[in-house]
Amino acid sequence: MSIIMIERQILEKNDAVAQENRTLLARHRIFTINLVSSPGAGKTSILEKTLEHLRGRLNVAVIEGDVQTDLDAQRVARYGVPAVQIVTRGGCHLEANLVREALETLNLNEVQLLIIENVGNLVCPSNYDLGEDLKVVVASTTEGDDKPLKYPPMFRNASVLIINKIDLLPYLNSNLATLRNNALQINSSLQIFETSCTTGAGIEAWCTWLDAQIKR
Amino acid sequence: MSIIMIERQILEKNDAVAQENRTLLARHRIFTINLVSSPGAGKTSILEKTLEHLRGRLNVAVIEGDVQTDLDAQRVARYGVPAVQIVTRGGCHLEANLVREALETLNLNEVQLLIIENVGNLVCPSNYDLGEDLKVVVASTTEGDDKPLKYPPMFRNASVLIINKIDLLPYLNSNLATLRNNALQINSSLQIFETSCTTGAGIEAWCTWLDAQIKR
């Protein structure tokens, strides 16, 4: 009982800081997405393809959340965008105060789109608002088509679902229509994109949508 | 600071209950594995193949951990083994007291092998001892070959690594040797199996090893 109250206090404090982040980002007219998924669903690959596609068109900054390493920030930095690595040292999700610290290191006047890549985890990040405009959940075809039913909060709290690794569908028992239906059963207003970072399929549609969200 | 202490108390309490579970399981000469992985790496599929392979040779029982549904227990029950579903209601890992409750519902005199399938999560379950003999971590080739470096505690605390979905390697950028090396860099004593639940490759080697661990 006392533990539940502590958790609630943590969330309340987190939500207050998230709201401050949101105000700060809105003041700078920065559109912010919080990218979440299981480990290995392809968040960083989608991020790389997105940076490649938007290069020269938009000023993008990236905040990377990882349990331990800065491998992902290294991958992202190659695209010439400002990248801040947050290492959670075992923590299974990002929190708003960590994002606030990261924001302090960025020149927000030069950012139009901020992409926060959360820790790879389908459970923990779902309850933690970071101050983003919306959550984008990535589900890869190789994880099976039942994941929205098994991890509903993440799909319920997201606005966009990217179904990634569609190039592997011919080799899987996983069914794309079932995955879509399961996701829409949990959250009927999900905007869905289907992508492959190997073939490049669907990346343009996703980036066009993303570009249209920018506050110009 | 106080939060860290609370977490420590929770872990201490968990470890005490885990030790009770371990004593209980040892008294019944039950070999117990704690199966962990990312969502969708193939824990349940490996479990199904294992049950199929060991049918008639060993008395197996299963404890399923899920955030929300009993989909996995339904899949497992088809193999005619006792299956207990634990639903964590949002919790990102199993705890020893939940496993103890599950053990009370099983006839332990008729069990030789207990397989506990943890919640799909590469972070949270790593610190929670359930009373198992050993942890088996499943990493699928589709998650990329960098996961041991990004989520080291899980690979450090496991005794066995099952590299699953090896049938998909021809279609991936992921490298099997790199994945093996990264895992061994984190934990040089890992026993490694390579499997595909689609082709059945490697299942026999894994089951033969598992069978040899049984206390007869």
Side-chain angles (χ1 to χ4, degrees), chain B residues 122-141:
Chain B
L122 261 192
V123 182
C124 312
S126 64
N127 285 326
Y128 285 83
D129 183 11
L130 305 178
E132 71 272 7
D133 287 288
L134 49 84
K135 281 197 177 69
V136 176
V137 61
V138 181
S140 63
T141 57

Side-chain angles (χ1 to χ4, degrees), chain A residues 12-29:
Chain A
E12 275 172 17
K13 183 152 183 285
N14 182 77
D15 288 355
V17 177
Q19 204 47 53
E20 290 169 22
N21 290 348
R22 187 168 281 113
T23 305
L24 177 67
L25 292 161
R27 195 161 64 233
H28 289 86
R29 303 176 64 78

Side-chain angles (χ1 to χ4, degrees), chain B residues 180-196:
Chain B
R180 289 183 70 106
N181 288 342
N182 285 341
L184 291 169
Q185 186 182 323
I186 298 298
N187 179 351
S188 63
S189 64
L190 271 175
Q191 171 93 28
I192 304 181
F193 296 94
E194 299 172 1
T195 61
S196 162

Side-chain angles (χ1 to χ4, degrees), chain A residues 6 66 72 121 142 150 165, chain B residues 66 72 121 142 150 165:
Chain A
I6 290 164
D66 277 291
D72 286 354
N121 201 303
T142 54
K150 294 185 66 184
K165 308 192 189 179
Chain B
D66 277 292
D72 286 354
N121 202 301
T142 54
K150 293 184 68 184
K165 308 191 188 180

Side-chain angles (χ1 to χ4, degrees), chain A residues 6 38-40 66-69 71-72 90 92 120-124 142-143 147 149-152 165 168 171-172, chain B residues 6 38-40 66-69 72 90 92 120-124 142-143 147 149-152 165 168 171-172:
Chain A
I6 290 164
S38 304
D66 277 291
V67 174
Q68 199 88 15
T69 64
L71 290 174
D72 286 354
C92 57
N121 201 303
L122 261 193
V123 181
C124 312
T142 54
E143 293 166 64
K147 291 304 160 291
L149 304 181
K150 294 185 66 184
Y151 303 88
K165 308 192 189 179
L168 296 175
Y171 317 110
L172 304 173
Chain B
I6 288 163
S38 303
D66 277 292
V67 174
Q68 199 89 13
T69 65
D72 286 354
C92 58
N121 202 301
L122 261 192
V123 182
C124 312
T142 54
E143 293 166 64
K147 292 302 161 290
L149 303 180
K150 293 184 68 184
Y151 303 88
K165 308 191 188 180
L168 296 175
Y171 317 110
L172 305 173

Side-chain angles (χ1 to χ4, degrees), chain B:
Chain B
M1 185 57 183
S2 65
I3 294 161
I4 291 167
M5 287 174 63
I6 288 163
E7 174 71 8
R8 198 156 286 161
Q9 281 171 19
I10 291 171
L11 280 178
E12 276 172 17
K13 184 152 181 284
N14 180 78
D15 287 355
V17 178
Q19 205 46 55
E20 290 169 21
N21 291 348
R22 187 168 281 115
T23 304
L24 178 68
L25 291 162
R27 196 161 64 232
H28 289 86
R29 302 177 64 79
I30 298 172
F31 184 72
T32 303
I33 65 172
N34 178 358
L35 201 55
V36 294
S37 81
S38 303
K43 285 187 301 307
T44 316
S45 296
I46 285 170
L47 183 48
E48 290 178 305
K49 290 288 171 194
T50 304
L51 294 175
E52 198 177 288
H53 202 87
L54 295 177
R55 186 144 48 183
R57 286 163 56 183
L58 274 182
N59 293 330
V60 188
V62 173
I63 296 176
E64 281 291 343
D66 277 292
V67 174
Q68 199 89 13
T69 65
D70 64 351
L71 290 175
D72 286 354
Q74 287 176 34
R75 280 172 66 178
V76 165
R78 281 186 218 130
Y79 294 84
V81 300
V84 187
Q85 178 77 52
I86 299 173
V87 175
T88 64
R89 303 225 172 278
C92 58
H93 57 86
L94 287 179
E95 292 173 21
N97 61 337
L98 298 171
V99 170
R100 178 167 64 183
E101 282 182 51
L103 290 176
E104 285 166 7
T105 71
L106 290 168
N107 182 349
L108 298 181
N109 292 320
E110 293 183 357
V111 178
Q112 294 170 286
L113 170 64
L114 174 65
I115 304 178
I116 305 172
E117 183 181 345
N118 218 311
V119 176
N121 202 301
L122 261 192
V123 182
C124 312
S126 64
N127 285 326
Y128 285 83
D129 183 11
L130 305 178
E132 71 272 7
D133 287 288
L134 49 84
K135 281 197 177 69
V136 176
V137 61
V138 181
S140 63
T141 57
T142 54
E143 293 166 64
D145 46 34
D146 59 350
K147 292 302 161 290
L149 303 180
K150 293 184 68 184
Y151 303 88
M154 198 62 105
F155 292 82
R156 196 175 294 126
N157 295 337
S159 305
V160 177
L161 164 63
I162 298 181
I163 300 177
N164 194 31
K165 308 191 188 180
I166 57 166
D167 56 299
L168 296 175
L169 278 167
Y171 317 110
L172 305 173
N173 301 321
S174 195
N175 186 292
L176 187 59
T178 308
L179 177 53
R180 289 183 70 106
N181 288 342
N182 285 341
L184 291 169
Q185 186 182 323
I186 298 298
N187 179 351
S188 63
S189 64
L190 271 175
Q191 171 93 28
I192 304 181
F193 296 94
E194 299 172 1
T195 61
S196 162
C197 294
T198 304
T199 67
I203 297 295
E204 182 157 4
W206 151 247
C207 288
T208 300
W209 180 87
L210 193 56
D211 190 62
Q213 311 307 310
I214 303 305
K215 300 145 186 168
R216 286 188 172 92

